[in-house]
Amino acid sequence: AQSVTQLGSHVSVSEGALVLLRCNYSSSVPPYLFWYVQYPNQGLQLLLKYTSAATLVKGINGFEAEFKKSETSFHLTKPSAHMSDAAEYFCAVSAGNQFYFGTGTSLTVIP
Amino acid sequence: EPEVTQTPSHQVTQMGQEVILRCVPISNHLYFYWYRQILGQKVEFLVSFYNNEISEKSEIFDDQFSVERPDGSNFTLKIRSTKLEDSAMYFCASKGGTYQPQHFGDGTRLSIL
């Protein structure tokens, strides 16, 4: 069975500070992992994806994530938070045709 | 860049009425999905569609729900007799291959009165 767990439903960081959003996965097969961002009243936008190539994946808007098999983690990071990063972030694991989403982490950026 | 488009952006319907939510997936994509997001909750899988038939569905997708690809471009979700608890954002998604990411539309906000 596949699932993802996002630790921390709400994360607050100061503008310019490091962003770290945690995601742990469970998968019975080699996973394909994704991070999506959802801005208010908008759909889900793909930030980045891991599909068994490089373990450090770079995405849009300065975000990156590292796949760590030993820790079953795929945490999302950004070195310096910007006000425009305030949004809901979802981690997802793909198993065949279906995606399994985490419960989301709401990121607040404090000026 | 190709996009998934959904119409309408907001649909208000009386309880018990039928509603059809429309989606135009990215043109060369083969896999199609509907998801639901109740306000403040996580995104929930409803159904996946491939090769003109449902490939998977969740327990949410009961007999009141149906999907159709009536022509080569549209992908619709029909709720036969809406209930108050059907109020949610409904997202359509599509992808080009098995291990490709899904691309999402901006969603349709469904409000049941």
Side-chain angles (χ1 to χ4, degrees), chain A residues 32 36 38 96-99, chain B residues 31 33 37 56 91 95 102:
Chain A
Y32 287 75
Y36 285 85
Q38 184 181 30
N97 286 332
Q98 196 172 141
F99 268 39
Chain B
Y31 301 83
Y33 304 82
Q37 185 181 31
E56 288 183 76
F91 292 104
K95 68 177 185 179
Q102 295 182 18

Side-chain angles (χ1 to χ4, degrees), chain B residues 25-109:
Chain B
I26 294 174
S27 62
N28 61 347
H29 282 188
L30 303 174
Y31 301 83
F32 313 108
Y33 304 82
W34 282 101
Y35 292 85
R36 179 182 81 177
Q37 185 181 31
I38 295 171
L39 185 65
Q41 299 185 23
K42 73 174 183 179
V43 178
E44 299 173 291
F45 168 76
L46 290 178
V47 65
S48 62
F49 192 87
Y50 172 72
N51 201 26
N52 288 319
E53 61 183 21
I54 291 174
S55 48
E56 288 183 76
K57 61 182 181 179
S58 71
E59 61 275 10
I60 302 170
F61 194 87
D62 61 21
D63 292 344
Q64 293 299 312
F65 290 86
S66 62
V67 290
E68 198 174 43
R69 189 155 161 82
D71 51 44
S73 59
N74 290 286
F75 180 52
T76 62
L77 174 69
K78 181 193 293 186
I79 308 175
R80 190 167 300 117
S81 177
T82 50
K83 303 186 286 286
L84 292 176
E85 53 265 37
D86 293 327
S87 295
M89 282 289 284
Y90 288 81
F91 292 104
C92 173
S94 70
K95 68 177 185 179
T98 303
Y99 296 107
Q100 294 302 307
Q102 295 182 18
H103 296 260
F104 286 79
D106 284 341
T108 293
R109 181 175 300 282

Side-chain angles (χ1 to χ4, degrees), chain A:
Chain A
Q2 283 72 32
S3 68
V4 290
T5 302
Q6 290 184 244
L7 296 175
S9 58
H10 298 276
V11 170
S12 293
V13 300
S14 297
E15 190 175 15
L18 171 71
V19 176
L20 171 61
L21 305 182
R22 298 178 187 276
C23 173
N24 288 87
Y25 69 90
S26 171
S27 179
S28 56
V29 298
Y32 287 75
L33 296 158
F34 307 85
W35 275 99
Y36 285 85
V37 60
Q38 184 181 30
Y39 298 103
N41 300 314
Q42 293 188 29
L44 293 157
Q45 180 181 0
L46 180 68
L47 270 180
L48 48 81
K49 62 180 180 180
Y50 166 76
T51 55
S52 76
T55 56
L56 182 62
V57 182
K58 294 186 184 299
I60 62 171
N61 302 338
F63 283 93
E64 61 183 37
E66 186 172 7
F67 172 72
K68 291 187 177 180
K69 185 177 179 180
S70 61
E71 298 177 7
T72 60
S73 69
F74 190 58
H75 302 329
L76 181 71
T77 61
K78 182 174 180 177
S80 176
H82 192 272
M83 296 299 294
S84 61
D85 294 328
E88 189 87 14
Y89 292 80
F90 293 92
C91 182
V93 61
S94 172
N97 286 332
Q98 196 172 141
F99 268 39
Y100 298 86
F101 283 90
T103 51
T105 298
S106 177
L107 176 65
T108 300
V109 182
I110 303 166

